[in-house]
Amino acid sequence: MTDLARERIEPLLRGRFGRPYLHESSVATTQLLVPSDGPEGAVATADHQDAGRGRHGRAWVDAPGTALLVSVLLRPPPGAVAAQLSLVCALSVADAVEAETSLEARLKWPNDVLVDGRKVAGILLDGRGDAVVCGIGVNVNQSADDLPADARTEPASLRSLTGVAHDRGALLVMLLERLETRYDTWRGRGLAPLLPALERRDALRGRPVTVGDVSGTAAGLAPDGRLRVVDAAGTEQLVASGEVEQT
């Protein structure tokens, strides 16, 4: 039985996230496995995706049975800034990775989780009417040879960082518990209560960056989650989305 099998995971769940819980050994992508009409907190996982996606249409490559591939259905309240869920989800992943490995996990705005400067996880949001499917990919038990050599940010897995194999099911349960808590805080009070934790984990602050046609020094997050960039003239610009290049 896989460590993500439904009969193993369901008894371990401690909240409403993961109900219902769907698992397949192989799918095109877990994003498509989540039912659009399902309840908030519905979860789909797979041992392998053959059409996994990252941001901007890039492929997410996984060695079967080594990564945590999970999608969660969320229903933000009317008027909420759904794009902020990238930060909410990334923060929850960082919490879980730290709990599992005792290694410091940091966030590269808006959706990557880094350990020692290497990417261990990424987030992808898909809007579906009034719902958002949050797709999460965590490199868990890949060997160094399993990780892509041409990634934009050097990748790592929890195993390559710690030298030991990790239980994907245990990590999933921790992640869902933390995501439910962080999400409920955001749903009720917005991003403000999460900003101190996001700032503590900010991997870009003080670094030279380019996002689209904006270049300068990353200066943390605005209250609404946009990236603050101070250009050479000392003018602060707010970036809502884009691919960050460290220069």
Side-chain angles (χ1 to χ4, degrees):
M1 179 174 66
T2 174
D3 52 356
L4 296 179
R6 181 178 58 81
E7 56 268 32
R8 177 176 186 244
I9 296 300
E10 283 187 337
L12 301 177
L13 295 172
R14 297 189 280 262
R16 73 184 189 281
F17 277 24
R19 307 176 195 277
Y21 178 80
L22 306 171
H23 176 75
E24 297 288 345
S25 59
S26 181
V27 294
T29 168
T30 58
Q31 299 287 79
L32 299 178
L33 192 58
V34 176
S36 296
D37 59 351
E40 182 167 77
V43 167
T45 65
D47 293 316
H48 175 59
Q49 295 179 142
D50 55 28
R53 294 179 294 124
R55 296 181 76 229
H56 304 292
R58 289 192 292 271
W60 178 280
V61 180
D62 67 272
T66 62
L68 178 56
L69 308 168
V70 55
S71 291
V72 184
L73 183 68
L74 303 175
R75 297 192 181 278
V81 182
Q84 294 174 353
L85 288 172
S86 282
L87 295 170
V88 176
C89 292
L91 180 59
S92 305
V93 173
D95 289 342
V97 165
E98 256 188 25
E100 174 67 17
T101 66
S102 298
L103 299 174
E104 182 183 44
R106 307 191 73 187
L107 306 181
K108 179 186 175 187
W109 182 94
N111 69 325
D112 287 345
V113 179
L114 311 180
V115 175
D116 291 339
R118 289 174 283 179
K119 181 176 175 177
V120 298
I123 314 297
L124 179 68
L125 301 182
D126 275 347
R128 295 189 189 173
D130 63 351
V132 175
V133 178
C134 176
I136 301 169
V138 185
N139 295 330
V140 181
N141 287 324
Q142 292 97 321
S143 67
D145 290 340
D146 291 329
L147 297 167
D150 58 350
R152 297 171 70 92
T153 300
E154 182 183 358
S157 69
L158 306 190
R159 177 185 171 191
S160 71
L161 291 164
T162 64
V164 298
H166 295 268
D167 184 329
R168 293 181 303 156
L171 180 64
L172 173 64
V173 170
M174 285 193 289
L175 170 56
L176 293 179
E177 182 179 32
R178 285 156 175 78
L179 177 56
E180 184 174 331
T181 298
R182 296 290 197 186
Y183 173 74
D184 285 348
T185 297
W186 174 84
R187 201 178 197 284
R189 300 170 57 196
L191 199 61
L194 304 181
L195 282 173
L198 289 166
E199 290 281 7
R200 284 195 303 272
R201 296 192 185 278
D202 187 357
L204 294 178
R205 178 183 280 274
R207 296 179 178 272
V209 298
T210 295
V211 191
D213 59 358
V214 176
S215 294
T217 301
L221 300 180
D224 62 1
R226 288 182 292 176
L227 180 67
R228 300 167 56 217
V229 179
V230 178
D231 65 22
T235 302
E236 181 179 284
Q237 301 192 52
L238 298 179
V239 181
S241 63
E243 188 78 16
V244 175
E245 299 285 350
Q246 292 183 242
T247 56

